[in-house]
Amino acid sequence: MLDFENWTCPLPLRDTPTVVMGHGGGGAMSGELVEHLFLPAYGKSAELTDSAVMPFPGGRLAFSTDSYVVKPMFFPGGSIGDLAVNGTVNDLAMSGARPLYLSVAFILQEGTPLAEVGRIATAIGAAASAAGVQVVTGDTKVVDSGSGDGVFVNTAGVGVVPAGVDIRPARAAAGDAILISGDIGVHGVAVMSVRSGLEFSTAVTSDTAPLHGLVSDILETNTDVHVLRDPTRGGVSASLNEIARAAQVGVSLIERDLPVPAGVSDACSLLGLDPLQVANEGKLLAFVPAADAPTVLEAMRAHPYGRGARQIGTCVNEHPGMVVARTALGGTRVVTMPIGEQLPRIC
Amino acid sequence: MLDFENWTCPLPLRDTPTVVMGHGGGGAMSGELVEHLFLPAYGKSAELTDSAVMPFPGGRLAFSTDSYVVKPMFFPGGSIGDLAVNGTVNDLAMSGARPLYLSVAFILQEGTPLAEVGRIATAIGAAASAAGVQVVTGDTKVVDSGSGDGVFVNTAGVGVVPAGVDIRPARAAAGDAILISGDIGVHGVAVMSVRSGLEFSTAVTSDTAPLHGLVSDILETNTDVHVLRDPTRGGVSASLNEIARAAQVGVSLIERDLPVPAGVSDACSLLGLDPLQVANEGKLLAFVPAADAPTVLEAMRAHPYGRGARQIGTCVNEHPGMVVARTALGGTRVVTMPIGEQLPRIC
C-alpha cells in the first residue's frame, strides 16, 4: 500500500506533486494516474476498463448514483472517499438490494495535491473492501483551477434485489412502526465542526457506514418491511416527509423518543439548526407493521450499526402527507420539508 | 415539452431564474427541480428514485461511467447533454453490450441559469430516447459559484452482454484488419472552434452519436470481432496505443488511408494539432480478422453512422506495443501515446 500520508512524489516519470490538466487527457499521464495511484489504492492489479463486464445473477437489478462534493474533504470520522462508497451502497441497500459493483469517477481541480487524491482513493478502496463491493470501472476528468474545488467524486452502484423483496416509500401504511437505527444528526455536525469559518470544538464524529449488512439482518427476520430510507441530505425530516407524501399517510413522531446525542443537540443550539434536518450517513429509517417492530428492533440492536435502534413514531391515517411531532410539553408541531439546505455541501 | 430556449421562470413557487444552493439540499427545492425540470426533460412522469429497481435478463452485465466537463457546454452539433448519453452508451457498446439503463448526476454551479440546465436535461432526454436507453436514477449537487463551472454531468450505464460475445483490447491479434467507422477529429475541432479565446470559423460539427446500433449490425455478421473502441480523449492515437500494449501486438497504419476531412485538417494545421490525437465522439475502431474485414466493412457502410467506414491499418507481429504509421512519402513514423491532452475539457 502506498503511504499517502507521507507522500511527496507519487507517480513515476512525471515529477509533479499536484494534479495537472494532462492527468485528465486520456493519454500517458491519465494511464499513470490509474496504474500507479488508483489501482494500488483500490488494491487491484488489473486494468480498470472503460466498460467492465461482470457476471450478474439475473432477476431484479438495483442501480443508484450520487456525486459527492463535501467540504472539507476530510472531517472527523471520515472523508469524501468513505461517503462516496457508503452513500451509494446505502442507496442500494434501501431498496433491499445486495450491492455488488461500484463505478468511481473523479473530477479533479488542477493543482490539487496528488497525495490528497491518493488518500481519498485509499479511503475508497478500504470502504469498498469493508463493504464487500468491487470497484470495477472509473473515469477521471481534470478542470482548471478556477472551475472546481479539490476533488468531486461520483459513484454509481449496481446490486441485486432478492426475490420477494418489495421495499419502497409508497408501501408505508397506517399502523406501521417507524424505527431509527441510532443517533441522528451526527454526520452533519461533524462536517460543520471543521467547516472553514465555522469551526467549533466537538467530540462528534461522522457516522458514515455501509448499512447493507444491517438491512440483510433485518430482512432475515422474514417480517414484512415496508420502507427503508437513509436520512442523508435534509435529515430525518426530509426522508419522513417524502415517505408521507409518497404513501399518502400521516407520520406521527414522539419528539422525546428522537435519539439526539448531547454533542449534536449542543451544536444545533449553537448554530440554530434543527437536528431533524441535519444529515446522517450511517443511519436508516425502517417502516414495519407494528406487530413486527419488536422482532425487527431486536435484529437491529444485534448489529454493530443498529445498537441504538428504537421506535420514534407511527404511521397514522390522520394528516396524510404530513409529519407531525408530539413535543415534550404535550403539544404538537408540524415537521416541514426543509426548503433548501441548512448548510450546503455536507455530502 | 418545456420551451427552455425561451424560458424565464421555470419552477413553480420559487421565483429564481438561476441555480441556488438550495437546489442541492435534498429538500423542497431539490424536489421541485426534479419534478418540474428533470422529469419533463426526460419525458418521464414517475419519480426518479435514489435507487431504481429494474428487471435484468441475467448473464453478463456491462457497467461504465464517465463525467463530462466539456467547455463550452454547447457546441456545433451537440451539447454536454448529448455527450453524457452517447459517451456512456458507446463505452458499453464497445464491450459488445446492449445498453439498457442510465444514471444521470449533475454538479451545478450556483448562479447557472436554470434555462441552461433545462436545455442540457432536454438534450439528455432526447439522446436517451434516440438511443433507446432509460434514465432511471439521478442526483443533483450544487456547489458555490467559485467551486464549479456551469454544469458537470456524470452518467453511468448498465447493459447486457449477449452470450458468446468476447470483445476486449487484449484480443487484438497479428493479421487483424483495423477499421474506422468514418472521419476522424471532428468532435474535437467542433468544440475548439467555439472555445473562448480560440474561436475560428469552420463548418465542422461534432459527430456525437450512439454507436450501439452500428455495433449490433457488426455483431450480426457473425464474424469474430476482436476489439471495438471509440477513440474519444487522446483520439485514435491513444486508443491504438492502448490496444497495442494490451495485446502486445504492433499496429501498422497507412497514413494516407486515414479519413481526415478538410475542415479538420485545416483546423489542425492552424492550431498545430495532430488529427490522430483529436477526440471523436461518434466513431469506432474495429479489429477483425483480415478475412472478415470485407463483410464487416459492408455491414458498417450500410449503417448511418458507418457510411465512411474503411480500413486504416493492420495488426502485425513487428514492434509489439507500438503504433507505426507509413507516411505519404514512403517513410514511417512512430505514433506515440499523447502525454497529456492537446486541448483540455473536450468531453
Side-chain angles (χ1 to χ4, degrees), chain A residues 30-57:
Chain A
S30 293
E32 288 166 11
L33 194 66
V34 171
E35 190 180 341
H36 297 284
L37 194 150
F38 291 129
L39 290 180
Y42 301 160
K44 292 178 87 98
S45 52
E47 193 80 28
L48 284 173
T49 52
D50 282 349
S51 174
V53 176
M54 292 86 54
F56 191 84

Side-chain angles (χ1 to χ4, degrees), chain A residues 186-219:
Chain A
V186 183
H187 172 74
V189 166
V191 173
M192 289 175 205
S193 74
V194 290
R195 177 72 59 84
S196 171
L198 198 72
E199 297 92 336
F200 56 92
S201 178
T202 178
V204 175
T205 59
S206 172
D207 55 351
T208 177
L211 297 175
H212 58 301
L214 175 59
V215 171
S216 172
D217 286 2
I218 293 173
L219 295 183

Side-chain angles (χ1 to χ4, degrees), chain A residues 24 27-29 50-54 56 59 61-64 66-67 91 139-141 144 147 152 154 233 338-339 345, chain B residues 24 27-29 50-54 56 59 61-64 66-67 91 139-141 144 147 152 154 233 338-339 345:
Chain A
M29 294 188 77
D50 282 349
S51 174
V53 176
M54 292 86 54
F56 191 84
L61 174 141
F63 186 25
S64 179
D66 263 320
S67 297
D91 277 348
D139 178 54
T140 308
K141 293 294 191 301
D144 36 290
S147 300
F152 298 153
N154 175 282
R233 279 183 296 178
I339 302 294
R345 298 185 60 182
Chain B
M29 295 189 78
D50 281 350
S51 175
V53 175
M54 295 86 54
F56 190 84
L61 173 142
F63 186 25
S64 180
D66 263 320
S67 297
D91 277 346
D139 177 54
T140 308
K141 294 293 189 307
D144 36 291
S147 301
F152 299 151
N154 175 282
R233 279 184 295 179
I339 302 294
R345 299 184 60 181

Side-chain angles (χ1 to χ4, degrees), chain A residues 23-272:
Chain A
H23 286 126
M29 294 188 77
S30 293
E32 288 166 11
L33 194 66
V34 171
E35 190 180 341
H36 297 284
L37 194 150
F38 291 129
L39 290 180
Y42 301 160
K44 292 178 87 98
S45 52
E47 193 80 28
L48 284 173
T49 52
D50 282 349
S51 174
V53 176
M54 292 86 54
F56 191 84
R60 288 179 301 161
L61 174 141
F63 186 25
S64 179
T65 190
D66 263 320
S67 297
Y68 299 85
V69 299
V70 62
K71 187 174 185 168
M73 300 189 287
F74 305 93
F75 45 80
S79 72
I80 190 172
D82 301 293
L83 291 188
V85 171
N86 294 335
T88 294
V89 160
N90 291 348
D91 277 348
L92 294 172
M94 295 310 123
S95 57
R98 184 164 57 88
L100 295 173
Y101 307 118
L102 282 188
S103 64
V104 178
F106 283 95
I107 298 177
L108 306 175
Q109 183 189 25
E110 185 189 28
T112 304
L114 278 168
E116 283 190 14
V117 180
R119 284 175 64 196
I120 292 165
T122 303
I124 288 172
S129 171
V133 295
Q134 280 185 64
V135 176
V136 294
T137 186
D139 178 54
T140 308
K141 293 294 191 301
V142 178
V143 295
D144 36 290
S145 57
S147 300
D149 190 12
V151 177
F152 298 153
V153 185
N154 175 282
T155 51
V158 170
V160 59
V161 183
V165 170
D166 181 20
I167 297 173
R168 51 196 164 84
R171 288 201 67 217
D176 281 359
I178 304 173
L179 316 178
I180 183 97
S181 61
D183 287 346
I184 67 169
V186 183
H187 172 74
V189 166
V191 173
M192 289 175 205
S193 74
V194 290
R195 177 72 59 84
S196 171
L198 198 72
E199 297 92 336
F200 56 92
S201 178
T202 178
V204 175
T205 59
S206 172
D207 55 351
T208 177
L211 297 175
H212 58 301
L214 175 59
V215 171
S216 172
D217 286 2
I218 293 173
L219 295 183
E220 277 186 12
T221 60
N222 282 316
T223 51
D224 184 22
V225 179
H226 289 165
V227 189
L228 294 172
R229 178 59 77 90
D230 55 333
T232 57
R233 279 183 296 178
V236 169
S237 166
S239 291
L240 291 180
N241 271 284
E242 279 175 26
I243 295 164
R245 280 185 212 174
Q248 278 304 302
V249 294
V251 164
S252 173
L253 290 183
I254 309 297
E255 207 163 53
R256 68 161 186 277
D257 289 343
L258 291 169
V260 183
V264 170
S265 170
D266 292 348
C268 285
S269 299
L270 183 75
L271 298 167

